[in-house]
Each structure stands twice: as C-alpha cells, then as structure tokens.
Amino acid sequence: MTQYLYLVRHGEQRDAEHGVVDGPLSPRGRRQAAMLAERLGGVPLTSVSYAPSTVATETAEIVRERLPSLEPRPSALLFDCVPSGPTPEVPRAFSGWFASATEAEIEAGRAQMADAFDEFVSPGGAERHDLLITHNLVIAEFVRHAFDAPEWRWLGLTQAHCGLTVLKVRSGRPVTLVSHNDLAHLPVELRTGLVEPLPF
C-alpha cells in the first residue's frame, strides 16, 4: 500500500537570531504552527512524530491542540544533524559549511539518518499518512534520499518554518516527491527560515 510522509520544519524560534541553538517558538512561530495545523485538518493522519527539541516539541503541541485526536510522540531520530561529510565531489561553494562539524558528529548524523529511513519510511498493508515535525537538514536528507542523489546533495535544500514537504512511498517503486516546501497555508509575512528570499 501507499505511505504519505508529511515532513515539516518546526516554527520560527524566538532567539535564533542571537545564535541560540534551541528554544521556544517566537509569536510568529506559534502562528505558523497554528496555520500548519489548519492546513492538515483534512488529512487522515496515522501518526505524528517530532524531534524532542524545544522548538519542534512546541510546534507539535500546537498541532495537537488543534487536532486533538492525534498523539504525537518524540523521536531522537528527528533531531537536527549533519547527514554526511565533505567529499571531493562537494562544490567549493559548500566546503566551508563543514568547518564547525566534527568527524564524530558527521558519523553520528549519517547513522541517525539511516535509522530514520528504516523507522519512518515503511509502507505496509494499509494506507498511511505520517507527519514528522523535525529540522531543516533532516528534511533535506529525506528529499536527497528519495532521489538517490549524491550524498552531499542535501546541501542547498532549505525548508521554510512550517513549510510542508510530502513524499509518497510505495513498495517496490521509487519514492515520489509530491511537494517540496509548500507554503500555501502561510501568508507572506509568515514565510521565514529560507536562506534565499523568495523572488515573488
């Protein structure tokens, strides 16, 4: 049968601009999460999993408040991570990205993502609709993996806060990217988190 994976980056963090790695949602981030929940209101969600970071947990709580039939569960496999390390194939423009990542962090991220694919990409006997509330690089690696692109190609894939990416998974077939970073539920003033601003 078919599995739909709904991949969502957490809402905007309050103190991210001050270099704080994790923390509570900003007021704008809370609005993003509420509008995401409204967007998902008609989806027959089978499960909701989220990274146990503060910002992803609060996003999941807002979704649960508006969709009370859901029971979100935390998963350490959805923590932010570095999915792979530098190789000769990495374009020079991205080479500086790895300056602060240790070999141990890179190996841990690679192992984490392998386990995440095993855990969450699982079409079974019935149609599934699974929501994952996680972090930017985790979603980028899911998309890279779906296309079986080169290991480094998660670089350059950026998701907005509470943007919606949907993968369709069927046994014995390549994964289909149904949508990437869909922002239709967010007005322009709530479209945050992108490295490059939208040209429209």
Side-chain angles (χ1 to χ4, degrees):
M1 293 296 287
T2 301
Q3 177 193 25
Y4 292 91
L5 271 176
Y6 301 81
L7 305 171
V8 171
R9 185 182 181 186
H10 57 77
E12 181 187 70
Q13 182 188 329
R14 187 175 65 200
D15 299 315
E17 68 271 21
H18 302 299
V20 178
V21 175
D22 186 25
L25 292 173
S26 67
R28 186 161 52 185
R30 298 186 69 79
R31 287 179 60 205
Q32 291 165 340
M35 297 187 90
L36 169 69
E38 288 179 21
R39 175 77 182 275
L40 295 172
V43 176
L45 290 172
T46 310
S47 70
V48 181
S49 300
Y50 61 92
S53 58
T54 301
V55 72
T57 299
E58 289 190 2
T59 302
E61 288 171 352
I62 291 170
V63 170
R64 183 187 53 78
E65 287 169 6
R66 285 158 177 78
L67 303 173
S69 64
L70 301 174
E71 287 294 335
R73 62 183 181 90
S75 172
L77 297 176
L78 298 176
F79 268 129
D80 210 2
C81 68
V82 181
S84 66
T87 65
E89 294 77 27
V90 175
R92 189 181 313 168
F94 291 130
S95 60
W97 201 96
F98 298 101
S100 62
T102 67
E103 287 187 23
E105 288 171 333
I106 291 167
E107 285 308 308
R110 183 179 282 116
Q112 174 188 318
M113 290 309 305
D115 290 343
F117 300 139
D118 289 343
E119 174 74 15
F120 295 113
V121 181
S122 56
E127 184 170 291
R128 299 183 54 83
H129 295 262
D130 301 314
L131 171 62
L132 308 182
I133 299 172
T134 182
H135 294 266
N136 183 42
L137 301 185
V138 172
I139 298 171
E141 176 62 4
F142 266 94
V143 173
R144 183 213 68 80
H145 186 266
F147 283 106
D148 196 24
E151 187 180 62
W152 61 271
R153 202 59 190 93
W154 53 270
L155 288 160
L157 287 172
T158 305
Q159 284 62 229
H161 295 120
C162 288
L164 183 61
T165 293
V166 182
L167 300 178
K168 183 177 182 179
V169 186
R170 291 171 289 180
S171 297
R173 300 188 187 184
V175 177
T176 302
L177 181 65
V178 177
S179 69
H180 178 252
N181 200 35
D182 182 351
L183 304 178
H185 52 291
L186 298 176
V188 172
E189 66 271 16
L190 293 185
R191 296 178 182 183
T192 62
L194 294 171
V195 176
E196 298 290 337
L198 293 170
F200 51 86

